[in-house]
Amino acid sequence: MTFKIAAWNIRGLNGPSKHRELKNFVVKEEIKVTGILETKIKAVIEKKIFSSCLKNWSFLSNSQPNETGRICVSWDSNFCMVNQLSASDQHIFCEITDLTQASSFLACFVYADNNYSVRRVFCETMVRLSHSQSNCPIAFLGDFNATRYSHEKFGGSQIWNSLKEEFNSYILASELDDLSYTGCQFTWANKRDCGEYIATKIDRVLVNESWLDKFPNSTAIFLPSTISDHSPAVVTVSDAVTSYKKPF
């Protein structure tokens, strides 16, 4: 089994230029399942927009009647099946099944809150889900709105304290690690100049040991941000046999 899934904080999906960019991204990268983050779409027009962007694809979202959506997961229903297992305003947790091989894995698409106290609620969910599904391949991917290490930020304040260390502590408690990746080292930037430029790595792909056992050749790439200020993460899911020991 080899195919691609993705997650991208697109910062609003209401404009036609964003529709075209999403469609081009999915086609060019041959994506089969994608999590679109910070969609800012009202629930009543989600179907119309996704029918325009990703024709004949299925989708689900965590939007509410009186709130715009934060996460939408869309997939090629001719290739795979996606079953939502749980959701909140910060995540959508799914089982993804490749219809060609009846093989499945778990993926949690993440758009964590910028407020650390609210984000902590998701981090505790991440620990719980990871432990309860430790025997299954699972990937957490998306915008975590937090850096793991001090060197994952360029510009701005360089103060590193125990509060900023908290995110990495949750990752370790979840028994997860970053999937091997290439591409953009910093996945978000404010795109300013004159000494005000700030860039960070707040988008990532975290996997458990079961994932590396089943998909030893899987990798991630963080592509240029284009119309957003976030890099899209593209994960190649591959169960091809490798002779290398997994670096976990």
Side-chain angles (χ1 to χ4, degrees), residues 140-206:
F140 293 81
L141 64 161
D143 176 6
F144 291 83
N145 257 314
T147 54
R148 186 175 183 183
Y149 305 112
S150 59
H151 65 260
E152 293 183 339
K153 181 179 181 182
F154 177 88
S157 173
Q158 298 299 309
I159 296 175
W160 188 259
N161 52 36
S162 59
L163 187 61
K164 292 186 177 180
E165 182 67 30
E166 185 177 80
F167 177 52
N168 188 43
S169 298
Y170 276 115
I171 293 175
L172 296 176
S174 302
E175 299 181 340
L176 302 170
D177 207 349
D178 285 288
L179 181 64
S180 176
Y181 68 91
T182 58
C184 300
Q185 177 64 33
F186 300 111
T187 64
W188 172 87
N190 61 2
K191 297 188 176 181
R192 298 178 184 175
D193 52 17
C194 301
E196 297 181 348
Y197 179 78
I198 298 175
T200 61
K201 180 173 176 56
I202 57 177
D203 305 87
R204 60 198 329 124
V205 181
L206 299 169

Side-chain angles (χ1 to χ4, degrees), residues 93 106-108 129-130 133 136-140 176 206-208 211:
F93 184 48
L106 304 176
C108 186
L129 290 175
S130 180
Q133 304 289 345
C136 301
I138 182 172
F140 293 81
L176 302 170
L206 299 169
V207 297
N208 64 358
W211 177 281

